[in-house]
């Protein structure tokens, strides 16, 4: 969640004392409760994930709850972190995706809800497998093959999407590549 041009904050069920950028935000709450926290922000980022421990309540229903709350709060811009090929079930048997079927099912329905059941100005970012490798600042939007992404590059793309209105209503798949992030996003 962010207020463009001003301070952003992160929602968590366990904010740490002294962290001025984290607030209590439970994805299991009802949308009306969540909307109170979102009132007045310019954009919402959904980057939460349960790491396979709470797929239905967090990765699927939590995402839908936040979408509904975003609309109730009158926020238009919504950026969702998803998974490579989650909207293409025919690809789920490829490479590392074989081990992520349940996750991709949750993401499939969350992304489908965002696209077809909301009026949000959304962008869905679908990175390949996340790695701890150092950032390169270079990506590819080639959708033909699976790829990897340093987490820092994914974070950079997510941050840049707020200033990329040409990505509204788009699903953007990314992986490491040779083109600078700003150049790739400008070409969308």
């Amino acid at each position: 969640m962010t207020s463009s041009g001003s301070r952003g904050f992160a929602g968590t069920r366990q904010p740490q004392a002294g962290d001025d950028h984290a607030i209590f935000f439970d994805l299991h709450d009802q949308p009306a409760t969540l909307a109170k926290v979102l009132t007045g922000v310019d954009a919402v980022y959904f980057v939460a994930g349960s790491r396979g421990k709470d797929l239905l309540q967090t990765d699927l229903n939590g995402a839908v709850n936040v979408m509904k709350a975003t609309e109730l709060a009158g926020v238009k811009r919504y950026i969702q972190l998803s998974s490579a090929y989650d909207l293409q079930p025919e690809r789920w048997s490829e490479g590392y995706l074989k081990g992520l079927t349940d996750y991709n099912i949750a993401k499939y329905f969350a992304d489908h809800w965002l696209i077809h059941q909301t009026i949000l100005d959304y962008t869905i970012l679908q990175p390949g497998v996340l790695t701890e490798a150092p950032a390169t600042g270079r990506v590819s939007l080639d959708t033909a093959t699976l790829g990897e992404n340093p987490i820092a590059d994914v974070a950079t793309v997510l941050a840049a999407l707020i200033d990329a209105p040409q990505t509204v209503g788009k699903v953007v798949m990314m992986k490491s590549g040779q083109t600078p992030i700003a150049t790739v996003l400008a070409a969308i």
Side-chain angles (χ1 to χ4, degrees), residues 110-187:
D111 286 359
H112 194 276
W113 183 277
L114 179 57
I115 293 167
H116 299 289
Q117 301 296 319
T118 74
I119 57 169
L120 297 169
D121 292 339
Y122 70 86
T123 302
I124 298 171
L125 182 64
Q126 296 180 325
V129 68
L130 303 178
T131 69
E132 298 287 335
T136 66
R138 297 177 179 278
V139 298
S140 169
L141 302 185
D142 166 38
T143 62
T145 59
L146 289 169
E148 296 183 345
N149 300 275
I151 293 169
D153 284 342
V154 174
T156 299
V157 171
L158 283 167
L161 289 172
I162 193 73
D163 295 318
Q166 71 277 14
T167 67
V168 170
K170 301 257 187 338
V171 177
V172 178
M173 188 173 335
M174 69 173 278
K175 61 184 174 186
S176 290
Q178 299 303 314
T179 309
I181 290 169
T183 302
V184 166
L185 291 179

Side-chain angles (χ1 to χ4, degrees), residues 13-148:
R13 284 194 285 178
Q14 299 174 359
Q16 302 297 314
D19 185 349
D20 294 337
H21 299 289
I23 59 158
F24 180 77
F25 196 79
D26 189 343
L27 300 176
H28 297 180
D29 281 342
Q30 292 298 310
T33 301
L34 298 173
K36 293 173 188 172
V37 176
L38 300 178
T39 301
V41 302
D42 296 318
V44 173
Y45 280 79
F46 186 88
V47 297
S50 70
R51 298 184 182 249
K53 295 180 177 119
D54 193 25
L55 290 170
L56 293 178
Q57 288 296 319
T58 297
D59 300 87
L60 173 53
N61 197 55
V64 172
N65 282 344
V66 174
M67 291 173 218
K68 290 177 178 179
T70 301
E71 288 182 316
L72 287 171
V75 179
K76 293 299 293 174
R77 189 69 168 111
Y78 189 91
I79 298 169
Q80 180 152 290
L81 180 62
S82 198
S83 176
Y85 302 115
D86 78 66
L87 290 169
Q88 298 169 302
E90 66 277 8
R91 307 254 347 227
W92 295 353
S93 62
E94 296 177 23
Y96 68 83
L97 295 175
K98 286 184 231 178
L100 298 174
T101 302
D102 289 346
Y103 176 71
N104 278 322
I105 290 169
K107 289 309 220 177
Y108 171 87
F109 285 103
D111 286 359
H112 194 276
W113 183 277
L114 179 57
I115 293 167
H116 299 289
Q117 301 296 319
T118 74
I119 57 169
L120 297 169
D121 292 339
Y122 70 86
T123 302
I124 298 171
L125 182 64
Q126 296 180 325
V129 68
L130 303 178
T131 69
E132 298 287 335
T136 66
R138 297 177 179 278
V139 298
S140 169
L141 302 185
D142 166 38
T143 62
T145 59
L146 289 169
E148 296 183 345

